[in-house]
Amino acid sequence: MALHPYDLYDVRSLLSDEERAVQDSVARLVDERVLPIIGDCFDQGRFPKELIPELAGLGLLGATLPEEYGCAGLNSVSYGLICQELERGDSGIRSFASVQSSLCMYPIFAYGSEEQRRRWLPDMAAGKVIGCFGLTEPQGGSDPANMKTHAKRDGGDWVVNGSKMWITNGNLADIAIVWAQTDDGIQGFVLEKDFAGFSAQEIKHKMSLRASVTSALYFDNVRVPDASRLPNVKGLRGPLGCLTQARYGITWGPVGAAIACLDEALNYSKERILFDRPVAATQSAQLKLADWARRITSAQLLSLQLGRLKDAGKMQPTQVSLAKWNNCRMAIDIAREARDLLGGAGITTEHCPIRHALNMESVITYEGTETVHQLVVGRELTGINAF
Ligand code: TGC
Ligand code: FAD
């Protein structure tokens, strides 16, 4: 029996029926609703907001959170497959789902009060309330401990001042999870978009993640009631705990982007006749295609094992760093090489590799740069902190 070119190790056979069903339903959404429009969205620098109800309708927002909050209660492997399929469409669509699910709904669930969970989670799962996550600041995202945004207690309220940079969904969002220094360490606050003194400004001229909204957030004496503070976490482990959730999903996403590039380059090179034979008949093209399949297969297995560890409650942040580093590197290299195999045709958004290659420039940078993840693994091996 012929092997599936995008799943040479039959990883699909390692999935449960439910996991396969989740993957199939997201794949259908991507094929029917994302792929026909995404090249134009990227060209126009437009996030396709019209897809939000469909993502919500399939239970893709906060998918791993319990059903009592209106969520799908899926396992982590299913969440990973959602990310993989969405990013086969575009990193911007996966980013939207990652931020909503892992960076906004997760902290409300994990660190919020019961009242906060009931107030926000069902509407967020339904796509009626959109969130963004403000950790990074202009002076340096890799070092969030050097946070300048601060919140000062004033009676029953807090007064927040400062700014955040590079915030996905910023201008789309109804609420922002904002991390701020307090006299008691870093704490998280749920800011609502109409709180006086809170504003967002979209970042233009991006050459990457163009089908996604990215913004700067500004806080000018924003008065926030104590009931909007996330009561159950203090310190950097609050935001870093959210990043572990999101980074886990991001290990799967680039597998989807790389499969899309392999698919496009494979088909193109079989049809493109040069020197009286298909490009795919040349040894150099086959070396490339085989090498991509090797790297994709390794990445698939890495993410699946990570997901199984996560579902067993055993996943460690260092393991997430290794997979985020490996899988982003795998996808950006494949996307660039696939662009090359398409020749001149590869430079337009008519074909997906250049879009994925440009997107991966963001994905390899956000949620911890490649260097940050390498240093996390290096620290684990040596016991020496090199940051
Ligand atoms: P350290 O000071 O040692 O630790 C602070 C506390 O945090 C705990 N911790 C973690 N907890 C959960 N998950 C993790 N990954 C954790 N890493 C550390 C740690 O145990 C400690 O807790 P406690 O209770 O003892 O105080 O911090 P560190 O030295 O480990 O961190 C250094 C470094 C560089 C790794 C960290 O600062 C870092 O990860 N920097 C990168 C920042 C980053 O990734 N920012 C991302 C912003 S969000 C984003 O990019 C969204 S894009 C989304 C999209 O569009 O898809
Ligand atoms: P810097 O931290 O200034 O890093 C600059 C360079 O220094 C990098 O090459 C880095 O690897 C290197 N470096 C850092 N530390 C060391 C070291 N110790 N040794 C050697 N080299 C080092 N943030 C949010 O909070 N929320 C979001 O929703 C969000 N969305 C984003 C969306 C996009 C499209 C992008 C591009 C970014 C987003 N970010 C978001 C921010 C992202 O997390 C940061 O860009 C990232 O953490 C890196 O921070 P920085 O850009 O300030 O780079």
Side-chain angles (χ1 to χ4, degrees):
M1 203 175 75
L3 299 173
H4 193 294
Y6 312 140
D7 184 12
L8 287 181
Y9 263 47
D10 200 12
V11 171
R12 207 169 142 84
S13 70
L14 302 173
L15 304 177
S16 68
D17 288 345
E18 180 178 74
E19 290 159 355
R20 276 193 288 268
V22 168
Q23 181 172 23
D24 290 345
S25 66
V26 187
R28 210 170 309 121
L29 175 82
V30 168
D31 289 340
E32 291 172 5
R33 304 286 291 127
V34 177
L35 294 181
I37 61 167
I38 198 64
D40 286 344
C41 290
F42 189 93
D43 280 346
Q44 295 156 10
R46 178 179 86 81
F47 171 72
K49 273 195 284 202
E50 65 273 24
L51 296 181
I52 295 174
E54 299 185 48
L55 297 171
L58 281 184
L60 308 187
L61 306 179
T64 57
L65 300 183
E67 291 173 42
E68 63 176 300
Y69 300 110
C71 303
L74 298 176
N75 69 2
S76 301
V77 169
S78 297
Y79 173 52
L81 291 161
I82 291 169
C83 291
Q84 177 178 318
E85 289 305 326
L86 291 180
E87 197 142 355
R88 188 170 59 78
D90 192 84
S91 304
I93 312 288
R94 198 269 309 134
S95 271
F96 172 82
S98 291
V99 170
Q100 180 82 348
S101 304
S102 291
L103 295 182
C104 296
M105 296 176 74
Y106 171 80
I108 291 171
F109 174 72
Y111 312 140
S113 63
E114 193 52 34
E115 194 191 336
Q116 290 168 339
R117 292 174 177 181
R118 300 223 172 263
R119 173 164 181 206
W120 297 116
L121 295 179
D123 279 350
M124 294 183 85
K128 291 182 192 151
V129 168
I130 304 305
C132 68
F133 176 89
L135 176 65
T136 302
E137 298 190 353
Q139 72 277 359
S142 300
D143 183 14
N146 182 30
M147 187 180 289
K148 307 291 184 219
T149 296
H150 58 271
K152 221 172 166 40
R153 192 77 201 235
D154 185 24
D157 294 340
W158 295 82
V159 178
V160 179
N161 277 289
S163 66
K164 300 286 176 181
M165 189 63 184
W166 303 115
I167 306 305
T168 300
N169 295 351
N171 281 76
L172 264 186
D174 304 292
I175 62 170
I177 307 294
V178 173
W179 298 95
Q181 290 282 5
T182 72
D183 289 342
D184 217 4
I186 289 172
Q187 298 202 63
F189 298 85
V190 185
L191 265 60
E192 298 172 41
K193 73 171 177 207
D194 49 7
F195 280 4
F198 176 27
S199 58
Q201 189 175 13
E202 190 162 353
I203 297 171
K204 298 284 187 188
H205 311 299
K206 286 183 302 172
M207 300 298 287
S208 171
L209 226 69
R210 288 181 53 75
S212 172
V213 174
T214 314
S215 311
L217 307 182
Y218 299 100
F219 320 111
D220 181 10
N221 284 316
V222 183
R223 191 162 277 277
V224 183
D226 190 49
S228 298
R229 180 178 57 89
L230 298 173
N232 298 325
V233 79
K234 286 202 176 90
L236 205 53
R237 73 184 181 86
L240 292 184
C242 305
L243 296 187
T244 297
Q245 308 303 314
R247 288 167 177 172
Y248 161 74
I250 293 175
T251 74
W252 289 79
V255 173
I259 287 175
C261 294
L262 172 59
D263 178 56
E264 186 116 28
L266 189 54
N267 292 328
Y268 188 88
S269 64
K270 282 202 251 179
E271 283 167 15
R272 185 78 172 164
I273 308 293
L274 296 173
F275 303 102
D276 298 327
R277 59 179 176 169
V279 171
T282 65
Q283 289 191 351
S284 107
Q286 289 198 13
L287 283 176
K288 284 186 183 126
L289 294 163
D291 198 43
W292 303 344
R294 171 183 66 81
R295 284 183 263 165
I296 289 171
T297 303
S298 312
Q300 284 170 322
L301 290 166
L302 206 53
S303 280
L304 181 63
Q305 169 63 359
L306 195 63
R308 296 289 179 229
L309 287 170
K310 190 169 193 305
D311 280 325
K314 293 182 185 163
M315 184 182 84
Q316 301 281 334
T318 304
Q319 296 166 328
V320 182
S321 282
L322 187 113
K324 202 258 177 190
W325 160 24
N326 183 77
N327 293 8
C328 288
R329 172 52 58 192
M330 172 280 299
I332 196 169
D333 288 346
I334 289 176
R336 287 169 176 168
E337 292 164 25
R339 203 296 307 153
D340 173 65
L341 201 55
L342 268 63
I347 73 156
T348 77
T349 52
E350 190 103 347
H351 298 282
C352 72
I354 195 158
R355 178 167 53 79
H356 285 298
L358 292 168
N359 282 340
M360 285 308 304
E361 296 287 349
S362 288
V363 181
I364 204 169
T365 297
Y366 66 36
E367 297 275 2
T369 64
E370 184 172 62
T371 306
V372 161
H373 291 296
Q374 288 167 329
L375 293 178
V376 167
V377 176
R379 181 171 64 181
E380 182 77 25
L381 296 178
T382 61
I384 301 166
N385 188 349
F387 284 106

